[in-house]
Amino acid sequence: MQKDPIRIVILGGGTAGWMTAAGFIKGFKPEFASVRLIESDEIGTVGVGEATLPQLKSFNDFLGLNEPEFMRDTNATFKLGIDFRNWGREGDRYIHPFGIHGQAINGVPLFQYWLKARANGHDSDLESYSFPIMACRNLKFDFPSEDDRSVRSTFAYAYQFDAVLYARYLRRWAEGRGLQRTEGKVVEVNLRPEDGFIRSLTLASGEVVEGDLFIDCSGFRSLLLGQTLKVPWEDWTPWLPCDRALAVPCDRTDDFTPYTRVTAREAGWIWRIPLQHRTGNGYVFSSRFTTEGRAAEVLLGGLDGKAQADPRLIKFAAGRRKQSWYKNCIAIGLASGFLEPLESTSIYLAQMASDFVMRLFPDRDIDPKLVTEFNRTIDIEYDRVRDFLILHYHANQKPAEEDPTGLWRYVREMTVPDTLIEKMETFKHRGHIHRYRDGLFAPPSWVAVYTGQNILPRNYDRQVDNMSTEAMLEKMREMQERVAVNVDALPTHADFLRDYCFDPSAKVMQETGNV
Ligand code: FAD
């Protein structure tokens, strides 16, 4: 029987640190584990990370957060997907929805019927069968239906929020439940001579904080796992060459798009994320293909409101630590790796990692099998996200006149990972996409990107032939109509927000100074 609580020390109070801390406080009784978080106001946080995936709602539900209160306090809006512009070629547009492209018929995805109809000369808009996409296009929102026969049950939703306010919100929540927070800068990491495990952290004040398990949420610094324990870095920049972002908030507009917009530009892409009080914008670009000055010009030239600050530069590299768990240290968040925010995956990866730590939670003498299992799962998650992101770049058809910097030609012609080549070849045959038991990304996500970027299979799933072409076309027409009628009946996203969590006349404009 364990006598004393296991001492968990979390280094870092960004989104990763506070999500991990809140999860542990909720999941573990104080007799089992004590949780202490150290953060430094002087160092601060990365201050970005506004767009999320639907899994965040499960995390908030696990904590028992009150949704309207959480949304009010973080200036959040709802998100049904991501609007991709100019990715295949200039003028292309598609939405990656948090849901499906129409309900399956006889267990076969609607996408396969669409392929057959197309092959028979009946071209139609694939997106018009998708409830979440049509809601995005019409700026509508409502909660999903619990009736799984309804077309209104075919989606999930996420949030767009102020990341700094979210960390603050979780801090209040966790401190109110007994979490011990220490403000201070770690200046030394002390190892046990016998095995090289971390024994304690020394703060600038001289205080020494001992622990049994150390969670490294120190951001890009990776102070414990990278700098101290020297776990090597795996570099993915040859596949994902963007290495800079300029971020700038601007005055908001009133349309409150229920989606994040990502627009391909000459040396990368620009995000636009609508919050209650402002719109977040940023240009993710490759310093090999443009300059910071030119990037700022492109970014500021495309804002849809007045800039609220000067653009802030953030440097990064795509890649990750070869192991996220080493000895008695587990890195979560940017300390473990980074993949650019095109598909809003970073917060998800941190959430997934902290959840997995809880499930595998070690005793004081750490069983190496747990470490292996944790690292194996993290590898899979990172590799899948990496392949999916690479696809967006690789599958472009931009001609020279749309590619003044040469970035798009480079990513089209580069050698991509074998795992991605296999996925693309399988898809090109009959549109088959492997369905993972868990983790990112499900087949509709791949369908959205492939079709949106003009990659179509040569043939379709022949089970579709079990229905006559006339009957198939009729069912497809009915579905299109059902989607249109149901979307029509939804409130606008702006009205929904106003009723649910946002009073524009009240003082909700919590300014954080972050972008
Ligand atoms: P940080 O926020 O950097 O926090 C690090 C913490 O460690 C801070 O509290 C700091 O004070 C502390 N610390 C460091 N060193 C010390 C020390 N010596 N002593 C004491 N404390 C220390 N993710 C998404 O999911 N969606 C997005 O839309 C998105 N957009 C992004 C855009 C850009 C340009 C970038 C770069 C990232 C984006 N991300 C996004 C990623 C997201 O920002 C991060 O995953 C998230 O903020 C978690 O960061 P973190 O907590 O790991 O690190």
Side-chain angles (χ1 to χ4, degrees):
M1 260 311 263
Q2 176 193 320
K3 284 206 302 286
D4 303 315
I6 294 186
R7 297 163 304 170
I8 305 172
V9 179
I10 299 174
L11 173 62
T15 312
W18 281 110
M19 283 180 75
T20 304
F24 286 180
I25 288 285
K26 174 73 183 183
F28 298 143
K29 290 195 161 203
E31 308 85 66
F32 174 70
S34 69
V35 187
R36 182 164 179 182
L37 184 144
I38 302 170
E39 65 176 323
S40 158
D41 285 343
E42 183 194 323
I43 294 177
T45 67
V46 70
V48 277
E50 298 169 332
T52 68
L53 294 178
Q55 286 82 354
L56 191 82
K57 174 169 161 48
S58 314
F59 175 74
N60 286 354
D61 289 348
F62 164 68
L63 297 184
L65 303 188
N66 174 307
E67 189 177 64
E69 179 196 272
F70 141 75
M71 291 188 71
R72 241 189 325 269
D73 282 17
T74 60
N75 284 326
T77 59
F78 290 105
K79 177 180 172 193
L80 295 172
I82 306 175
D83 177 19
F84 284 84
R85 304 219 177 159
N86 303 340
W87 280 82
R89 286 200 55 168
E90 220 42 49
D92 285 353
R93 181 180 177 188
Y94 67 94
I95 292 179
H96 168 192
F98 297 147
I100 57 179
H101 294 85
Q103 289 163 296
I105 304 173
N106 299 335
V108 180
L110 184 105
F111 168 59
Q112 292 290 348
Y113 295 88
W114 177 81
L115 285 174
K116 179 177 177 181
R118 209 169 170 276
N120 285 291
H122 301 282
D123 206 359
S124 62
D125 174 11
L126 178 63
E127 295 199 330
S128 66
Y129 302 97
S130 168
F131 183 82
I133 293 179
M134 295 310 285
C136 284
R137 283 194 191 170
N138 290 281
L139 308 185
K140 300 282 189 90
F141 181 81
D142 203 345
F143 293 126
S145 158
E146 283 175 8
D147 172 4
D148 58 14
R149 287 161 310 171
S150 163
V151 73
R152 293 174 72 152
S153 71
T154 58
F155 70 102
Y157 68 89
Y159 312 100
Q160 308 170 117
F161 58 34
D162 183 322
V164 171
L165 293 179
Y166 185 54
R168 246 183 241 170
Y169 187 89
L170 292 181
R171 173 179 162 187
R172 277 200 306 277
W173 187 93
E175 283 188 311
R177 285 161 182 78
L179 176 120
Q180 192 189 351
R181 170 188 179 266
T182 304
E183 159 60 36
K185 188 169 164 183
V186 170
V187 289
E188 212 173 316
V189 183
N190 312 299
L191 303 183
R192 297 196 309 225
E194 65 276 22
D195 56 9
F197 277 41
I198 300 174
R199 189 183 58 218
S200 60
L201 308 179
T202 306
L203 305 184
S205 63
E207 187 185 355
V208 175
V209 179
E210 297 202 333
D212 300 308
L213 185 68
F214 290 82
I215 310 291
D216 187 352
C217 294
S218 64
F220 287 132
R221 281 172 195 80
S222 195
L223 182 62
L224 308 184
L225 191 79
Q227 286 188 37
T228 307
L229 297 178
K230 308 270 184 272
V231 172
W233 176 255
E234 203 170 303
D235 180 28
W236 288 344
T237 49
W239 292 314
L240 294 167
C242 287
D243 59 355
R244 302 273 189 282
L246 278 172
V248 68
C250 75
D251 290 352
R252 69 168 171 80
T253 55
D254 282 333
D255 58 2
F256 291 117
T257 52
Y259 54 81
T260 294
R261 190 172 77 204
V262 295
T263 308
R265 298 302 303 258
E266 58 194 37
W269 57 275
I270 286 184
W271 79 72
R272 175 189 179 276
I273 303 176
L275 308 185
Q276 290 179 18
H277 62 319
R278 61 170 162 78
T279 299
N281 309 275
Y283 187 6
V284 173
F285 63 94
S286 168
S287 61
R288 266 171 62 197
F289 293 92
T290 195
T291 61
E292 281 163 28
R294 172 66 190 153
E297 200 181 312
V298 172
L299 174 65
L300 294 171
L303 301 181
D304 55 18
K306 188 168 150 284
Q308 295 182 342
D310 290 332
R312 183 163 70 88
L313 182 71
I314 304 160
K315 295 184 182 176
F316 56 82
R320 58 156 188 187
R321 299 277 153 200
K322 281 199 193 298
Q323 292 133 296
S324 292
W325 184 346
Y326 184 63
K327 297 186 188 272
N328 63 339
C329 173
I330 305 174
I332 295 180
L334 300 175
S336 95
F338 183 61
L339 287 160
E340 58 174 77
L342 183 59
E343 287 280 356
S344 325
T345 42
S346 268
I347 294 174
Y348 161 81
L349 288 169
Q351 174 188 342
M352 184 276 307
S354 68
D355 177 58
F356 204 41
V357 172
M358 284 170 64
R359 288 193 229 177
L360 290 180
F361 202 78
D363 296 328
R364 279 195 178 79
D365 56 333
I366 292 169
D367 182 343
K369 287 198 285 301
L370 303 176
V371 179
T372 305
E373 175 59 8
F374 181 84
N375 287 329
R376 191 187 65 81
T377 306
I378 300 288
D379 285 357
I380 293 173
E381 291 272 1
Y382 266 92
D383 289 357
R384 284 184 190 162
V385 173
R386 178 200 65 197
D387 284 2
F388 193 53
L389 294 181
I390 295 172
L391 173 68
H392 296 68
Y393 285 97
H394 189 56
N396 82 83
Q397 306 87 40
K398 291 177 193 288
E401 61 273 21
E402 291 177 16
D403 184 17
T405 68
L407 167 78
W408 297 97
R409 178 171 167 201
Y410 167 77
V411 288
R412 188 171 59 243
E413 294 179 355
M414 69 188 172
T415 308
V416 300
D418 291 345
T419 41
L420 177 58
I421 294 173
E422 270 167 39
K423 286 176 190 127
M424 292 178 74
E425 289 307 319
T426 312
F427 179 79
K428 282 180 190 165
H429 180 51
R430 272 185 208 289
H432 177 73
I433 296 160
H434 179 72
R435 177 177 285 282
Y436 308 127
R437 204 159 39 101
D438 40 34
L440 301 174
F441 281 92
S445 300
W446 289 85
V447 166
V449 178
Y450 283 129
T451 58
Q453 296 192 202
N454 314 310
I455 297 184
L456 289 179
R458 292 182 290 276
N459 214 324
Y460 55 87
D461 181 338
R462 297 309 286 250
Q463 295 178 78
V464 164
D465 291 339
N466 288 326
M467 182 180 282
S468 73
T469 305
E470 296 71 39
M472 172 187 88
L473 291 174
E474 180 54 20
K475 278 206 177 293
M476 289 173 69
R477 198 198 51 73
E478 279 169 20
M479 191 162 321
Q480 218 170 19
E481 198 174 301
R482 207 159 47 242
V483 167
V485 167
N486 276 278
V487 167
D488 209 37
L490 297 180
T492 66
H493 182 218
D495 284 345
F496 193 93
L497 284 172
R498 253 171 229 123
D499 287 348
Y500 192 61
C501 60
F502 170 43
D503 176 359
S505 61
K507 283 205 298 178
V508 294
M509 308 295 179
Q510 304 193 49
E511 293 303 340
T512 62
N514 74 302
V515 287

